[in-house]
Amino acid sequence: MESDALGDFRYVGARRRLIERIREQGIEDLEILRLFDRVPRHLFIPEALLHRAYEDAPVPIGFGQTASQPSLQAFYLELLRPTPDDRILEVGTGSGYLTALLALMGDRVYSVERIRSLSTRARGVLDSLGYRNVALMVGDGTIGWRKFAPFDIITVSAASPDVPQALLDQLADGGRMLVPVGDRTVQDLLLIRRVGDELHRTGVRDGCTFVPLLGRYGWSPAPGDPEGD
Ligand code: SAM
């Protein structure tokens, strides 16, 4: 999975600077920091915005969506700590960049995206980089992916009015889930751990702003929201 694109001289310095930014945001775990040097983020970003590929900021990927801020993704990885045995459900594939980072840490990643064009693009990039432990689906991720449940990790990259019950039902014993919950403008990021029948919820960051999670257990699409498939 090491790509020639990693050696592209135009991006080597930018990638190193991004890792330094992420470290400055408080992520000290070397295993996680090194992951950001193993995935050529510029391949996941639309060509017109390549100059922003290694900014520590959300980058538009079309359809009103964004590739999330890298230091936030590092925070997700630090909280979830995927291990090589973990089966992971990702809701909101978007660019596929977090999918790649998760695939380097876990056993298998099942990622759902409601916008077909984004999923198709992500699939092309992940295939070209040789990721074999990723399955992508176009659909409503708020209902999870029952066929492959339960999941050791569930990560939601869009904001929900509440924690989707279907996702809680598909969380394995010992599993952990991250989901931003709040209104459509500001949310708290919740870490949920399942221990047997008990669910332990912890707020890990407040004042976040994610794009809305649109679906059966999320928000209903409003005027201006992108069409799903
Ligand atoms: N981790 C992704 C990245 O860095 O590219 C984040 C992408 S963006 C912040 C969130 C994504 O969630 C968008 O692509 C959006 O279309 C998708 N999304 C929103 N509601 C969804 C749903 N019900 N099921 C699946 N994907 C959904």
Side-chain angles (χ1 to χ4, degrees), residues 7-51:
D8 187 329
F9 69 92
R10 289 170 300 174
Y11 300 109
V12 173
R15 200 160 42 244
R16 294 286 152 79
R17 283 192 292 281
L18 171 62
I19 292 168
E20 195 47 39
R21 291 284 118 69
I22 296 172
R23 213 180 55 76
E24 285 164 10
Q25 296 303 313
I27 310 294
E28 297 283 352
D29 187 313
L30 282 181
E31 190 196 350
I32 292 173
L33 290 172
R34 285 196 190 113
L35 290 179
F36 287 81
D37 211 18
R38 290 178 61 192
V39 183
R41 183 170 162 84
H42 59 279
L43 299 186
F44 294 85
I45 299 299
E47 216 161 303
L49 294 174
L50 280 182
H51 59 288

Side-chain angles (χ1 to χ4, degrees), residues 89 91 137 139-146 164 166-167 170 215-217:
L89 174 68
V91 178
M137 179 171 78
D140 178 5
T142 69
I143 60 176
W145 196 339
R146 197 165 295 283
L167 298 185
Q170 292 175 34
R216 191 189 313 171
Y217 296 102

Side-chain angles (χ1 to χ4, degrees), residues 41 61 65-68 73 90-99 112-115 118 139-142 157-158 210-216 226:
R41 183 170 162 84
I61 53 174
Q65 307 305 313
T66 52
S68 304
Q73 295 178 321
E90 179 187 35
V91 178
T93 314
S95 66
Y97 181 66
L98 180 61
T99 321
V112 188
E113 169 58 54
R114 65 183 286 278
I115 299 176
L118 291 179
D140 178 5
T142 69
S157 300
F210 286 79
V211 297
L213 183 73
L214 302 172
R216 191 189 313 171

Side-chain angles (χ1 to χ4, degrees), residues 9 23 38 49 55 83 106 115 120 153 159 178 199 209 225:
F9 69 92
R23 213 180 55 76
R38 290 178 61 192
L49 294 174
E55 283 179 6
T83 65
I115 299 176
T120 303
I153 288 179
L178 271 176
L199 292 164
T209 305
D225 282 331

